[in-house]
Structures are given as C-alpha cells and as structure tokens.
Amino acid sequence: MSRILYTFITLLFTLETIAEISVIPAPLSIKETQNEYRSGTKIEICYNPLLKNEAEYLQSIFTKEGLQCALATGIKTKNSIVLDLSSKIKGKEAYSLETSSQTIHISASSPTGIFYGIQTLRQLIRIDNKQIVVPGVSIQDRPSFPWRAFMLDECRHFKGKECVKQLLDEMAFLKMNTFHWHLTDDQGWRIEIKKYPLLTQIGAFRDSTQLENSRSNKYLQKPHGGFYTQEEIKEIIRYADRLHIRIIPEIEMPGHAGAAIASYSWLGCTDKPIPVPCKFGVNYDILDVTNPEVYSFIEGVLDEVINLFPSPIIHIGGDEVKYDHWKASSAITQYMEKNKIKNPAELQIDFTNKISRMLSQKGKRMIGWNDITGDKIHNFQAEDETGSSAQLAPGTIVQFWKGDSTLIRKTLEKGFDIVNSYHIYTYLDYTYKKTPLEKAYSFSPIPENIPAELKKHILGLGCQMWTEWLPTCESAQKMIFPRIAAHAETGWTAPESKNFTRFSNALQGLLKHWDKVGIKYGDFK
C-alpha cells in the first residue's frame, strides 16, 4: 500500500471517529475506550429518586424515537442507563459520562449536572435496528462560565409560546442556562400586569410596522400585537425549569418606554398622548423620573413580575436613552439643580440606583445594559450629557453590549460583575456577512489585558435576537441557528479547547438534529 493511500485511509478513519464522538459544546475531557454500549430492544433507565424529572425527560426522548423504555429507581449495573448523584463530582453543572458494554453511567452532584450529561448522551447516540449504540467514551465535563444566555426580543415582533418553547428546547440541548426575555419596549408591551390593564389593552398593539430599515418611510399597514397572560408566563417558566433554564425578564426603563407611555400618558415627561410607536430605532419618549407616580407604577409592575418569575435577577434595560425630553422639562431641571446632579447621565444613574434599591428590598438583584454606567457610548450623546462621578449601586450587574472594551475593565475595577454581550459578535439579527459563523465563534467574553483577579467577575456571555426586521419564528430561527451553537460552545468549553475546524465538523450532527425537529437554520457557509 502506498504511503499516500495509507495516509488517506487513516485520515478517513480519524475523521469518522471524530464525527462519531463529536459533541457541541465540546466537553472538558473526552477519551475513547473500547467499551461500546449497545442496548437490547428494551431500554431501562435506572435512577436515583431525586432524579425523577431527568429520568422522565430521557424516557420522553427515547419514546419520540419509537424506542421502548422503562424506568426503575435504584442502581442496576447491567443492560441499563444509570443516572446517579455523587458528591465526588464538583460543581452544580458538572457531570461524568462513562460507557461500558452493559451500562451507560451518568453521574453528577445535582440534577442539573445529570441533565447536561443527558444532552451529551443525546449527541452520542446512534439508533440501529431499534437499539441505541453509544461509542466507548469516558467524559468529564463542566462549564467555563456560569452565565450562558440567549435573549429573545418579543416587543418588535411577538412570537408566541410555542416558538419560545422550541427555542428553550434547543437552548437546553446546547447546555445554555439563561433565557433573557425582552418583554417591554417602545413597539409593544408583552406581559400582562393586572394592576395596569391598559399596558396590554393599548400597549400590546400597534397600527403598523416599519419596513426595511430604521430610516425607511415604508410601513406595513397592518396591525401587529400580542401579549402573554400571567398564566402563560407561568406555563413557560415551568417548562424552562424542567430544562434547567432560568428566565430573566427585562422590563425596559427609563427609555424604550413608548408602549407604556402610550398606555398611560402621565408616565412621560410631556404628559401628552402618543400612539404605540410603529417606527423602530431610538425614540424620544422616556419616563419622567421626577414624578412619584412613575415610581409607584414601576413598583406595581415589578411586584407582579417578581411574583411570576423566581429568578433572583431582574433586567431593567437602561439602554439608548435620548435625553431631549429630560432637557426640555422644567421639573427635571429643578430636580437636577436641587440634588446637584450635573448631567443627564448622572440623572439616569440616580434613577437606576433607586430601582436597584427597590429590587434589593424585594430580594432581587438588578442587571442593565452598560449604558447605565454613564459612559458615552452613542453618537447621539453630547459630551456634556455623559460622564459621571456618580457610582452605580453595589451589586448591580452590567451587561456590556457597546463601546470600547476598555470600559469593561473600568467597570470591573469599580467592583461590578459583567455579562459580556459585545454586539459585533453576539447580535444574532446581524447578517451572516456582517457576523459570519467563524467570527461569532471567535468571541471571548474575557477581553485581553484583564487582570486575573478581575476575570472571575465576568460571569459569562449573552447572545441576542432583536426582531425588528424578523417578523416570524422561522425568519428569526434562520439568524439564530447555527450561530447560537457557537456562543453555546464559547460559554461552556474551555478556551484552550476551542477549535473552529473541530466545531465545524461537529456541526453537521446538529444540522441533522435541527432538520429532524423542524428548526430552520441560515445559509452560513
């Protein structure tokens, strides 16, 4: 045999082996063994009684494949899949997965770790004649970052609970643990608040929708709207909880408040009635942060949000506040003079800290986009409007999305935790030409030159789907997938183990999975 032919055959064998055990996100350690597992025609899942949810979840996966699967409590070492808790596995989300000819054994210290082991198992399984076949592997795995988030904007275009549940399913498959739900904005209020019924009676519906881009004068002359009842919110939270995904709601303030002001005009600085905005981009209407009734409104909204969402963290937005209405308001001017507030950025920090204290008293922690730091990050901001010596309230989480990366270090040095969502890598509504898959994959949540002692305060990353120009679930999916897989791997896999070639090869398995479950993905090549 010629050396060239031998090399070619060896390469083919190697690629086949890699493909066979490829997993996204890539595990911390995966070793091949000779212990291939092949089930009988009837599969038995043996589980610790504390893992009933996870065992039933795995059973449902097999049932969908047309496989017979029984459940049994306790540990059986032959002809079974064993789900077991072990204090030897360190970390809530860590797990181990071991195969032998007779058993697949998934161990973790918590149900969450077991659940992630199941997601890895799903990618390893091959079905052959009503049997499952899993290659011989020994996997030890845990995530790099504790915060691995996907955000869905439903204000610009309402998607509905079935679309959300499908996205949650795929987040779970990729071991993402945080669903950031953008529920209020200028163009729509999407969550029922019983104390303020006009928020959904008026604020959830607009007359038309801007088309093409934010500078366009073309509009789709057709009403658009929708919202989630509190019962529907609870249903989705229960669904996510079974998938070990926490949901963090975002209630925008003090800007991006057009839908709220359209519902209750006294929330704004002019007290003039406005329609729910149909134009996208940055609007001028913002909350009057000197009005005590505005704070009563916010507290009433947040009380109902907190009663719905078990998340310890609430997102208050805080981005893209245009200060025109504040600068034109005599009440705002008098308040700033009385409280020695130098500029609008300091006024926003003053407001943000009041909301932070309000949430803290209710046992919640606040997160907001990095506009809340007072730094200048937008071209529409004048130099004298930004820059502040005022300090954000302790415990605030800053979600970085825009500006020079040096602002991350500046914020860390002030003692704040950060979620890195730098838009040029993580905005999923950007075209594949602007943010190709490889660029998305190259993102590192920790910028260069961050001192070691500060790195632990970068909690992780978020990737965002803004829906101004993506009206349907299918059109959004084509932009989300496959780039969400790149961000999932960045959040989970150790940086030194990331490899785009290996990821691209493994992606073929995900594409087959998405085809099977009806997910549309974009033309990313």
Side-chain angles (χ1 to χ4, degrees):
M1 184 185 298
S2 71
R3 177 174 295 181
I4 294 175
L5 180 58
Y6 175 80
T7 302
F8 178 69
I9 292 172
T10 302
L11 178 60
L12 283 179
F13 175 78
T14 302
L15 289 175
E16 182 180 350
T17 302
I18 290 171
E20 186 180 22
I21 63 171
S22 290
V23 176
I24 292 177
L28 179 68
S29 168
I30 180 167
K31 297 177 182 178
E32 293 180 72
T33 72
Q34 300 301 312
N35 300 321
E36 178 186 82
Y37 172 83
R38 183 178 290 267
S39 72
T41 55
K42 188 174 181 180
I43 304 160
E44 187 169 45
I45 300 172
C46 299
Y47 65 97
N48 181 306
L50 297 175
L51 300 172
K52 185 173 185 289
N53 172 70
E54 290 65 43
E56 290 178 347
Y57 172 86
L58 182 56
Q59 182 187 42
S60 72
I61 296 297
F62 289 143
T63 301
K64 289 175 184 176
E65 296 288 349
L67 302 173
Q68 289 187 328
C69 184
L71 297 179
T73 57
I75 304 302
K76 180 181 176 183
T77 58
K78 291 185 178 181
N79 302 317
S80 63
I81 299 173
V82 176
L83 309 180
D84 192 23
L85 294 175
S86 170
S87 60
K88 294 179 181 179
I89 309 291
K90 303 303 180 185
K92 177 185 175 182
E93 297 183 306
Y95 69 91
S96 73
L97 190 158
E98 307 274 350
T99 63
S100 72
S101 59
Q102 305 246 352
T103 309
I104 297 170
H105 200 125
I106 300 175
S107 298
S109 63
S110 76
T112 303
I114 294 292
F115 186 78
Y116 291 143
I118 289 171
Q119 303 314 314
T120 294
L121 176 61
R122 291 176 65 190
Q123 294 191 48
L124 294 173
I125 285 172
R126 175 169 58 86
I127 298 175
D128 180 17
N129 194 28
K130 296 295 182 180
Q131 294 179 304
I132 67 169
V133 180
V134 178
V137 291
S138 174
I139 295 174
Q140 307 298 319
D141 201 9
R142 64 175 183 269
S144 279
F145 293 97
W147 190 299
R148 307 178 303 281
F150 165 75
M151 188 216 78
L152 178 65
D153 160 30
E154 288 210 73
C155 305
R156 280 45 181 262
H157 281 99
F158 182 69
K159 296 296 187 288
K161 65 180 182 180
E162 295 310 315
C163 182
V164 169
K165 287 180 178 180
Q166 191 174 33
L167 289 168
L168 289 169
D169 285 339
E170 299 314 307
M171 286 178 62
F173 192 61
L174 293 166
K175 304 185 180 77
M176 301 182 84
N177 63 3
T178 302
F179 179 54
H180 172 179
W181 208 359
H182 189 81
L183 288 167
T184 76
D185 212 298
D186 289 311
Q187 295 81 18
W189 186 283
R190 305 297 180 213
I191 176 173
E192 177 189 26
I193 302 296
K194 293 182 179 180
K195 186 175 182 178
Y196 297 103
L198 296 185
L199 288 172
T200 47
Q201 292 175 20
I202 294 174
F205 301 92
R206 60 177 185 262
D207 294 334
S208 61
T209 298
Q210 188 179 26
L211 298 174
E212 295 182 356
N213 59 64
S214 60
R215 296 178 296 279
S216 169
N217 292 318
K218 295 180 180 179
Y219 287 80
L220 177 65
Q221 301 299 328
K222 180 180 178 181
H224 178 81
F227 65 92
Y228 292 100
T229 67
Q230 293 197 1
E231 287 306 308
E232 288 173 324
I233 293 280
K234 291 175 185 176
E235 177 187 341
I236 292 171
I237 290 171
R238 287 193 298 269
Y239 191 89
D241 186 59
R242 288 193 293 267
L243 300 174
H244 296 270
I245 294 172
R246 65 179 175 182
I247 300 182
I248 294 179
E250 181 178 352
I251 309 298
E252 274 273 14
M253 58 184 89
H256 285 292
I261 295 170
S263 305
Y264 298 97
S265 61
W266 47 266
L267 291 171
C269 294
T270 65
D271 199 16
K272 293 179 180 178
I274 64 168
V276 176
C278 304
K279 178 179 174 58
F280 298 126
V282 184
N283 289 281
Y284 291 98
D285 289 286
I286 54 178
L287 300 179
D288 179 358
V289 297
T290 67
N291 183 352
E293 291 185 359
V294 169
Y295 290 95
S296 296
F297 167 83
I298 292 171
E299 184 162 25
V301 169
L302 290 178
D303 280 344
E304 294 194 32
V305 168
I306 288 168
N307 285 336
L308 287 170
F309 291 89
S311 166
I313 299 167
I314 303 294
H315 206 301
I316 59 99
D319 60 308
E320 297 181 323
V321 179
K322 279 196 172 180
Y323 299 132
D324 302 59
H325 282 190
W326 280 355
K327 292 166 73 174
S329 166
S330 58
I332 296 286
T333 301
Q334 290 171 16
Y335 178 86
M336 291 176 67
E337 290 175 351
K338 179 181 178 181
N339 292 278
K340 296 181 172 55
I341 295 173
K342 294 185 296 185
N343 59 34
E346 283 197 4
L347 178 61
Q348 185 174 351
I349 291 175
D350 177 77
F351 164 80
T352 301
N353 287 348
K354 288 178 180 177
I355 305 306
S356 178
R357 288 191 290 272
M358 183 187 295
L359 286 169
S360 180
Q361 290 167 1
K362 300 173 188 296
K364 300 292 182 178
R365 191 178 181 191
M366 187 189 74
I367 181 173
W369 301 105
N370 68 297
D371 309 53
I372 65 175
T373 63
D375 295 311
K376 185 181 186 309
I377 62 174
H378 299 290
N379 292 331
F380 61 74
Q381 294 172 319
E383 292 292 341
D384 62 352
E385 292 179 342
T386 58
S388 173
S389 58
Q391 180 75 293
L392 284 172
T396 299
I397 302 172
V398 177
Q399 187 162 7
F400 180 83
W401 76 281
K402 190 175 178 69
D404 191 282
S405 62
T406 57
L407 295 176
I408 292 180
R409 178 165 179 168
K410 176 182 174 182
T411 304
L412 291 169
E413 288 174 343
K414 290 182 177 180
F416 299 104
D417 289 340
I418 278 181
V419 173
N420 197 340
S421 295
Y422 192 26
H423 70 103
I424 65 172
Y425 296 97
T426 69
Y427 274 27
L428 299 169
D429 54 307
Y430 289 0
T431 66
Y432 285 96
K433 182 178 180 180
K434 186 171 184 177
T435 309
L437 181 61
E438 187 168 6
K439 180 177 180 179
Y441 187 82
S442 70
F443 178 56
S444 173
I446 301 177
E448 294 181 358
N449 302 320
I450 297 295
E453 67 272 15
L454 296 179
K455 289 180 179 179
K456 64 182 179 181
H457 293 290
I458 297 180
L459 304 179
L461 76 157
C463 56
Q464 290 66 234
M465 168 43 61
W466 301 103
T467 63
E468 287 92 335
W469 321 112
L470 299 163
T472 67
C473 193
E474 181 176 310
S475 63
Q477 284 180 2
K478 288 181 178 179
M479 304 302 283
I480 296 168
F481 300 91
R483 287 182 292 191
I484 190 174
H487 295 302
E489 179 143 309
T490 294
W492 183 276
T493 302
E496 61 272 17
S497 297
K498 287 182 65 180
N499 181 292
F500 185 68
T501 300
R502 190 261 317 138
F503 171 82
S504 299
N505 291 334
L507 188 60
Q508 302 311 306
L510 279 186
L511 299 183
K512 292 177 183 178
H513 162 75
W514 291 331
D515 286 336
K516 194 171 187 177
V517 299
I519 289 287
K520 305 299 182 183
Y521 47 87
D523 184 9
F524 58 93
K525 297 178 181 178

